[in-house]
């Protein structure tokens, strides 16, 4: 069993331009290096999902694993925002919106993300400066 004590893991679609831009944004703002990352296409992500008994095996959702709890879709995004500086924590106020509404908006964007933002042929390869934050 992997031990990510003191860290949270973000699983994301590694070929999605929107997802990669979001991960780059999180890395840039996560000065405390609280988050680790793995693309959903990686063996690491598959193992982590199995370890947490997650039934999610689609590429349509960002997934956050924090303190053994699995957050998906809009809940993952809002939970991630709570750890970012510069006022991004204020986004967590949207948690008051019912999950079904938040996730409907999330899924609309998710279903159109390749059309709107494009797609890579393969997952990103992190630079030397950040490769220690990625799980493979």
């Amino acid at each position: 069993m992997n031990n990510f004590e003191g860290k949270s893991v973000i699983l994301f679609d590694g070929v999605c331009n929107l997802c990669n831009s979001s991960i780059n944004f999180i890395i840039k703002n996560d000065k405390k290096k609280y988050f680790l990352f793995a693309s959903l296409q990686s063996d690491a992500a598959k193992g982590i999902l199995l370890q947490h008994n997650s039934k999610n095996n689609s590429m349509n959702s960002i997934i956050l694993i924090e303190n053994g709890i699995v957050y998906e879709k809009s809940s993952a995004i809002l939970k991630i925002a709570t750890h970012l500086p510069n006022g991004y924590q204020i986004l967590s106020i949207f948690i008051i919106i019912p999950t079904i509404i938040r996730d409907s908006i999330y899924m609309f964007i998710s279903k159109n993300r390749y059309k709107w933002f494009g797609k890579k042929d393969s997952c990103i390869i992190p630079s030397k400066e950040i490769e220690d934050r990625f799980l493979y």
Side-chain angles (χ1 to χ4, degrees):
M1 179 180 250
N2 292 328
N3 182 4
F4 304 119
E5 190 172 323
K7 303 273 186 192
S8 290
V9 179
I10 298 174
L11 308 178
F12 65 99
D13 180 354
V15 298
C16 166
N17 287 339
L18 174 62
C19 304
N20 283 305
S21 295
S22 299
I23 295 305
N24 287 333
F25 174 82
I26 293 167
I27 290 168
K28 180 181 172 190
N29 287 284
D30 181 23
K31 304 296 185 202
K32 295 179 182 177
K33 298 184 178 182
Y34 178 72
F35 295 109
L36 298 175
F37 307 91
S39 74
L40 284 163
Q41 291 86 351
S42 71
D43 290 337
K46 291 172 186 148
I48 291 167
L49 290 171
L50 280 173
Q51 174 184 331
H52 289 89
N53 298 317
S54 177
K55 305 286 187 237
N56 188 332
N57 60 0
S58 79
M59 299 294 155
N60 291 332
S61 178
I62 190 168
I63 299 170
L64 171 69
I65 292 125
E66 184 171 77
N67 298 321
I69 300 170
V70 177
Y71 300 91
E72 297 179 22
K73 301 176 185 167
S74 64
S75 296
I77 291 172
L78 295 176
K79 190 73 173 167
I80 291 166
T82 66
H83 296 286
L84 298 177
N86 303 325
Y88 291 108
Q89 301 92 346
I90 194 74
L91 294 173
S92 65
I93 196 162
F94 290 110
I95 203 75
I96 64 171
I97 297 172
T99 305
I100 193 163
I101 295 170
R102 287 187 283 115
D103 282 351
S104 294
I105 295 167
Y106 179 96
M107 289 309 297
F108 176 74
I109 294 168
S110 176
K111 287 178 183 172
N112 291 289
R113 70 190 188 278
Y114 295 148
K115 180 171 49 172
W116 295 342
F117 302 99
K119 179 179 177 179
K120 297 183 182 315
D121 292 329
S122 61
C123 294
I124 62 167
I125 299 173
S127 67
K128 293 278 186 208
E129 295 82 29
I130 60 170
E131 71 181 348
D132 62 327
R133 301 192 56 200
F134 282 78
L135 308 171
Y136 301 98

